[in-house]
Amino acid sequence: NDPAYDRVATQQLVDTLRATGGVEAIYFNDPQISGVTADKLGPDDEPVHHNHLHVKVNPNYRRSPGK
């Protein structure tokens, strides 16, 4: 574990991204973060997304006017 990793800030980021309504998936390998999908393991059986996340945006999402 990286001592600089901030789980609370990561959860806030995920929550903020999800709140937009335009996110299809967020890939990240911390089982204590809600709203993410764990990704498969890499060739060395280590998590692929242990130090960064990927966000899949819905290409059809349109923000409501005024937001």
Side-chain angles (χ1 to χ4, degrees):
N1 289 341
D2 184 345
Y5 174 58
D6 187 335
R7 184 172 280 129
V8 172
T10 301
Q11 185 65 67
Q12 289 173 341
L13 174 61
V14 168
D15 293 345
T16 299
L17 290 167
R18 286 278 182 200
T20 68
V23 172
E24 287 188 11
I26 300 173
Y27 299 100
F28 188 60
N29 285 327
D30 182 344
Q32 294 185 33
I33 300 293
S34 63
V36 299
T37 301
D39 206 6
K40 57 190 165 193
L41 299 177
D44 55 359
D45 288 333
E46 289 296 316
V48 176
H49 296 107
H50 67 283
N51 61 359
H52 66 282
L53 49 83
H54 285 240
V55 179
K56 182 177 180 184
V57 177
N58 179 343
N60 299 314
Y61 173 73
R62 297 290 181 258
R63 208 169 61 166
S64 298
K67 286 192 175 185

